[in-house]
Amino acid sequence: MSEQLATALAYALSSVLWVAFCTSTSGCVPHPEVSGKVTITRDGEELVLDTGGNGTRAVDASGEVAGGCIIRNRSELSVTVQEKGAAFSFFDLVDQAGLPHVSAEIGGKLYQGACVIVVQEQQRDPYEADVAAGPCDIIRNFDGMGARLETAVFHVSDCSGAD
């Protein structure tokens, strides 16, 4: 594995673990609002992960879809959405230290790729933003099987800003 891929994987996993820990303990991210929709194509199949209402409904504690977000110092971003039991069950986009990348779990396998992420922060709140990524290619770790992130579009607010 290349050093760049190993570094990207380490950043992605640390962000995922941080978001998972904080959202599960309800201590770090009290009530982030994450709404959006991700579309990935693989072998001619379109896979969609949607927070509800065609990406307009924010995730909540009672729903099947969970989500979290972090916006730190206006320079680091992580948005995570997870739907238990779905074939396309997890998506994370991260921009840390100028290394934008996405991760997706499809059929229990992790796909990753370096994708441009566009963030439009809301002027009234530094922890609210519109976030988009795609199109870009992603690959399955260890065997190189390809997929394509067609679009990922989110609106996030009340994101954690802790250092």
Side-chain angles (χ1 to χ4, degrees):
M1 183 180 329
S2 74
E3 183 177 329
Q4 184 178 16
L5 182 59
T7 301
L9 181 59
Y11 278 129
L13 290 177
S14 67
S15 296
V16 169
L17 291 174
W18 193 89
V19 169
F21 173 75
C22 289
T23 57
S24 69
T25 62
S26 298
C28 299
V29 183
H31 298 290
E33 291 186 15
V34 177
S35 60
K37 182 176 176 180
V38 182
T39 304
I40 292 178
T41 53
R42 180 186 68 166
D43 295 332
E45 178 183 17
E46 184 176 88
L47 305 163
V48 177
L49 183 54
D50 185 345
T51 62
N54 201 27
T56 60
R57 189 172 64 222
V59 299
D60 61 27
S62 64
E64 294 178 7
V65 180
C69 55
I70 301 168
I71 299 176
R72 280 194 214 146
N73 302 323
R74 299 181 184 257
S75 64
E76 294 182 17
L77 168 79
S78 176
V79 178
T80 302
V81 178
Q82 182 174 12
E83 182 177 7
K84 292 184 181 182
F88 175 19
S89 61
F90 174 82
F91 182 78
D92 184 42
L93 61 84
V94 177
D95 189 356
Q96 286 182 307
L99 297 172
H101 56 280
V102 300
S103 300
E105 186 175 314
I106 303 168
K109 305 291 184 187
L110 184 64
Y111 290 74
Q112 292 188 307
C115 299
V116 174
I117 298 171
V118 178
V119 179
Q120 290 182 310
E121 290 182 357
Q122 304 301 308
Q123 291 183 7
R124 65 186 181 279
D125 184 348
Y127 303 115
E128 180 176 2
D130 291 320
V131 182
C136 63
D137 293 324
I138 57 177
I139 60 167
R140 188 165 63 196
N141 291 345
F142 306 114
D143 71 1
M145 175 73 170
R148 184 161 180 82
L149 170 63
E150 299 296 340
T151 60
V153 178
F154 294 100
H155 179 81
V156 298
S157 61
D158 295 329
C159 293
S160 170
D163 289 326

